[in-house]
Amino acid sequence: MTGMPEGGMRFMRRLARGHFTRRWDIHERGQGNVPESGPVILASNHIGWLDGPLLFATSPRPAHALVKEEEFHGRTGRLLHFVGQIKVSRGRNDTGALRRAAAVLAAGQVVLIYPEGQRGGGEFERFKGGVSWLALVSGAPIVPVAIFGTRQPGEPAETRAPKGARLDIVYGKPIRLPMQGWPRDRGMIEDAGEQIHDHLRAHILWSKNVLKRELPGPLPRGSSDG
């Protein structure tokens, strides 16, 4: 099955990775947990603005991220289309975006999703069901991703980490659920969601213990959760 073009993404990733590694002290762990071929779902926590660009530039394989539709305007929107990102509406159940992501997985490509649905403390306290649906439709392994350092306690979500700051990215062991054909009822999706949610939260706890780092906690009042 045809997925999404990746030529523009690969070109921009080369440029972006060089910029990121010069500006920040980036430490990656567990990249070998991301399968080298076939469909993969990267499920990342989301603590600040920098998370998306960071994973775009550094993930072991090019990843088609679900990005909020508000970003798809003007120059930014054209760039997001060029690098193969997927527009998603957060205000409704966007089945069109999920089906585009499922087509990407069916083509053996990588999808990046933020199951929390918005920026926050990064502990996976919130969990939206899109990743569960994609896992059951595709049978793709879900690799948990924990990001640290893109936002500090008390800082708003739009904060850019200062030059030289240490940024940690930890890829965990994948969880794979059996592909489920139609019909996929609500109970089946909820059961899958519980398994995935538990796996993601366990990875956050493990990463905190290994790195001896804490996440920044809730966003300050008035900060955008975009």
Side-chain angles (χ1 to χ4, degrees), residues 87-131:
K87 179 168 62 175
V88 62
S89 171
R90 299 185 303 162
R92 59 184 174 84
N93 185 16
D94 193 341
T95 56
L98 289 176
R99 292 189 184 282
R100 286 190 290 276
V104 167
L105 294 170
Q109 296 174 314
V110 179
V111 166
L112 168 61
I113 190 168
Y114 300 96
E116 293 165 293
Q118 61 186 40
R119 303 167 189 158
E123 303 273 2
F124 286 116
E125 292 182 358
R126 291 170 51 92
F127 183 85
K128 302 187 75 172
V131 65

Side-chain angles (χ1 to χ4, degrees), residues 1 16 22 36-37 51 55 57 116 148 150 157 170 180 182 200:
M1 182 175 291
R22 288 189 299 271
E36 294 182 358
S37 61
D51 302 338
L55 287 179
E116 293 165 293
F148 295 79
T150 56
V170 185
Q180 297 289 344
W182 182 263
L200 298 180

Side-chain angles (χ1 to χ4, degrees), residues 6 35 53 55 57 61 76 91 95 116 147 160 188 193 201 213:
E6 293 189 340
L55 287 179
R61 291 172 57 189
T76 299
T95 56
E116 293 165 293
I147 296 177
R160 272 59 165 172
M188 187 181 297
R201 297 191 73 173
R213 294 195 73 170

